[in-house]
Amino acid sequence: MKRLARLGFLLPIGLTLAGCGLQPMYAGGSHGSVARTLSGIEVGQIAGQQGWLMRNALVDRLGASGHGASRYRLDVLLDDQITGFGIRSNNTVTRERRTLRARFKLIDASNQTVLLDNTAQSDAGIDVVTSEYAVIAAEQTALERLSGEVAEQIVAQVALYARRHPPAE
């Protein structure tokens, strides 16, 4: 009886969701328009250690080789800042915030048209302790994590673009 009551409760919710027009982003699996678009993106070189981390994170998430004859190119410009705050009475910093911001452009490789121009960013807090090594390690770990988070945001925005503008066959 309880199962029937639960089913009676869940059925209207299921029908409501079915009628709302939501569709899976990656419909069609690896042969769907979003997956085809993402795998056809070449990620341009990005300067510096931050760029190396970001490019690797993007290539991993896009499922692309990162080079070769691609339909699209993704150009990324990074801004990495560490700001100190939380000042002690002796004017030493107790806390830092590392912010990684990426401005990215999705470009049609055939005619160099900018299809998508947007930004993504994330930040992380870092405790400043007496060990300089520990602070450097924390800053590096924060950069690695932020690179992954920003890469996920970029791929999500590109996937939304690809969903709204499927490539012509």
Side-chain angles (χ1 to χ4, degrees):
M1 188 67 175
K2 287 183 181 182
R3 279 189 191 171
L4 191 56
R6 274 191 230 145
L7 183 61
F9 175 73
L10 293 176
L11 187 61
I13 292 173
L15 292 175
T16 302
L17 287 176
C20 74
L22 289 177
Q23 297 176 350
M25 175 71 76
Y26 297 100
S30 62
H31 300 294
S33 65
V34 173
R36 283 194 325 258
T37 299
L38 293 181
S39 66
I41 296 175
E42 174 188 352
V43 181
Q45 295 297 320
I46 310 169
Q49 178 193 17
Q50 303 93 334
W52 181 81
L53 289 167
M54 177 62 66
R55 185 174 186 284
N56 285 343
L58 286 167
V59 169
D60 288 346
R61 285 161 178 79
L62 290 170
S65 63
H67 50 69
S70 299
R71 184 174 186 156
Y72 305 100
R73 186 178 77 241
L74 187 65
D75 290 340
V76 180
L77 180 62
L78 293 178
D79 179 27
D80 180 26
Q81 295 183 355
I82 298 177
T83 307
F85 63 97
I87 309 295
R88 291 187 183 106
S89 61
N90 63 357
N91 285 335
T92 58
V93 174
T94 61
R95 190 102 171 121
E96 293 177 339
R97 173 177 289 136
R98 186 164 205 161
T99 304
L100 185 63
R101 173 177 289 144
R103 178 168 183 200
F104 63 95
K105 294 179 182 181
L106 180 66
I107 299 170
D108 187 329
S110 64
N111 57 15
Q112 304 305 312
T113 303
V114 176
L115 304 173
L116 181 64
D117 185 352
N118 214 336
T119 60
Q121 83 170 31
S122 190
D123 63 4
I126 302 165
D127 286 327
V128 178
V129 296
T130 56
S131 169
E132 189 175 333
Y133 173 79
V135 173
I136 292 170
E139 290 173 350
Q140 180 64 29
T141 301
L143 177 60
E144 292 169 8
R145 192 176 78 244
L146 292 173
S147 295
E149 290 174 4
V150 172
E152 287 176 9
Q153 291 177 25
I154 291 171
V155 171
Q157 291 182 44
V158 171
L160 282 173
Y161 174 84
R163 180 79 171 114
R164 292 183 185 126
H165 305 91
E169 295 301 322

